[in-house]
Amino acid sequence: MKTSGAHSDRSASELISKRIAELGDWRGETLGRMRQLIKAADPDVVEEWKWVKPKSPGTPVWSHDGIICTGESYKNAVKLTFAKGAFLKDPARLFNSSLDGNVRRAIDIHKGEAVDASAFKALVRQAVALNGSGKSKP
């Protein structure tokens, strides 16, 4: 697993696991569950830790031939941002945030909310296929 940033002595997977444990509440459980779904949808996914800055410890990133999505946690939500989400079919309407952008789309998950696992895994598989096609658009 790759890391990007100041924490090169630890693997990205370790840093993501540490972040999930540090959250220690519904956000950690949610991020952990979504991580499992990403890995189930794409067993070849690469976990990365990017964008480490003085005031930011970094961000979990899942990639396969390019970024699939990032996983951020906020006080009231866990946000999964798909790098090319605007080009993915979302019949289950999981995307509920960043809908005005030309490229990205996000799923904000709030306390007590459940995400349709099969629909989420379908989005991940589409993102992998789009990345693998070498095109920015389907």
Side-chain angles (χ1 to χ4, degrees):
M1 300 294 161
K2 283 185 356 183
T3 58
S4 299
H7 298 286
S8 58
D9 58 325
R10 299 183 65 185
S11 79
S13 293
E14 289 175 322
L15 291 167
I16 293 170
S17 294
K18 181 177 181 245
R19 177 69 179 142
I20 289 168
E22 285 172 351
L23 288 168
D25 58 10
W26 68 270
R27 296 170 302 163
E29 292 172 16
T30 300
L31 188 58
R33 183 173 66 249
M34 302 317 290
R35 178 191 199 187
Q36 289 174 340
L37 291 175
I38 292 166
K39 288 179 171 184
D42 180 17
D44 296 324
V45 71
V46 175
E47 294 189 316
E48 299 177 279
W49 190 260
K50 292 187 173 212
W51 307 301
V52 176
K53 299 175 186 167
K55 292 190 177 192
S56 170
T59 303
V61 177
W62 290 274
S63 298
H64 187 147
D65 294 329
I67 293 175
I68 298 168
C69 68
T70 63
E72 298 170 275
S73 52
Y74 299 95
K75 182 178 180 181
N76 295 319
V78 170
K79 179 183 284 286
L80 294 152
T81 303
F82 282 71
K84 298 177 184 173
F87 308 115
L88 305 178
K89 292 178 183 171
D90 181 23
R93 299 194 182 272
L94 296 181
F95 292 131
N96 60 9
S97 183
S98 305
L99 301 176
D100 296 332
N102 292 330
V103 181
R104 292 188 305 262
R105 292 287 183 270
I107 302 168
D108 284 359
I109 307 166
H110 300 92
K111 186 175 184 177
E113 291 180 345
V115 173
D116 180 326
S118 59
F120 181 78
K121 290 192 287 187
L123 283 177
V124 170
R125 288 186 197 106
Q126 279 188 72
V128 170
L130 180 57
N131 286 350
S133 73
K135 300 175 185 174
S136 61
K137 298 180 183 180

